[in-house]
């Protein structure tokens, strides 16, 4: 099994990051706008359309407000893993910022490279979106 793991610091509080991360049906609006162009939510399953045309159907596995962690698995779409489990987590840092962790386990291993490339690109978009949202005044 291959694992893709990516971490980065975000200039936003863990609560600000969690507020976005827990919004499972609004990836295209709040977490990764532009990288993800559409998200449709149906109960515990979302259909995610990426800017490159890739469509994946993801089932929510866990939404943990204590650990500020969301876990999901691919169950359909144009990506066909035999196994896929991913999670994202907002971890507090001592300076008030947030460590964003994105981890994916996938089979077959041949999918690790394209997923890693997508995660690298997506992480940059996510970081920008989270920091832009954190800099907005609360109304």
């Amino acid at each position: 099994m291959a694992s893709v793991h990516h971490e980065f610091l975000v200039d936003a509080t863990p609560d600000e990051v969690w507020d976005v991360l827990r919004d499972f049906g609004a990836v295209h609006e709040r977490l990764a706008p532009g990288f993800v162009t559409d998200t449709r939510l149906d109960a515990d399953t979302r259909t995610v359309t990426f800017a490159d045309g890739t469509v994946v159907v993801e089932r929510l596995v866990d939404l943990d407000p204590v650990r500020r962690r969301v876990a999901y698995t691919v169950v359909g779409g144009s990506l066909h893993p035999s196994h896929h489990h991913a999670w994202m987590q907002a971890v507090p840092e001592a300076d008030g910022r947030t460590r964003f962790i994105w981890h994916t386990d996938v089979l077959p291993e041949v999918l690790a490279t394209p997923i890693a490339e997508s995660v690298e690109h997506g992480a940059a978009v996510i970081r920008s979106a989270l920091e832009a949202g954190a800099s907005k005044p609360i109304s």
Side-chain angles (χ1 to χ4, degrees):
M1 182 173 324
S3 291
V4 175
H5 188 88
H6 192 80
E7 297 184 21
F8 56 93
L9 290 176
V10 179
D11 288 327
T13 69
D15 287 339
E16 289 169 327
V17 173
W18 176 243
D19 183 60
V20 174
L21 191 54
R22 72 179 178 191
D23 198 351
F24 193 68
V27 177
H28 65 298
E29 296 171 331
R30 301 188 68 201
L31 185 65
F35 178 67
V36 172
T37 58
D38 188 45
T39 308
R40 289 181 319 226
L41 187 61
D42 182 19
D44 69 346
T45 304
R46 67 184 177 193
T47 302
V48 180
T49 303
F50 292 85
D52 69 359
T54 301
V55 176
V56 293
V57 180
E58 300 170 335
R59 179 171 295 130
L60 180 64
V61 173
D62 187 37
L63 193 63
D64 184 341
V66 174
R67 291 184 181 87
R68 296 182 186 99
R69 179 180 174 272
V70 61
Y72 57 94
T73 185
V74 170
V75 295
S78 55
L79 185 66
H80 301 286
S82 58
H83 173 82
H84 175 281
H85 181 264
W87 53 269
M88 297 174 167
Q89 186 172 13
V91 179
E93 286 287 311
D95 59 4
R97 295 186 303 165
T98 302
R99 177 168 303 278
F100 190 98
I101 304 171
W102 188 356
H103 184 90
T104 304
D105 294 320
V106 64
L107 282 173
E109 288 187 25
V110 68
L111 291 176
T113 297
I115 287 175
E117 290 169 356
S118 182
V119 165
E120 186 74 26
H121 180 200
V125 173
I126 289 169
R127 182 178 182 191
S128 293
L130 292 171
E131 289 180 348
S135 68
K136 290 181 183 175
I138 298 172
S139 26

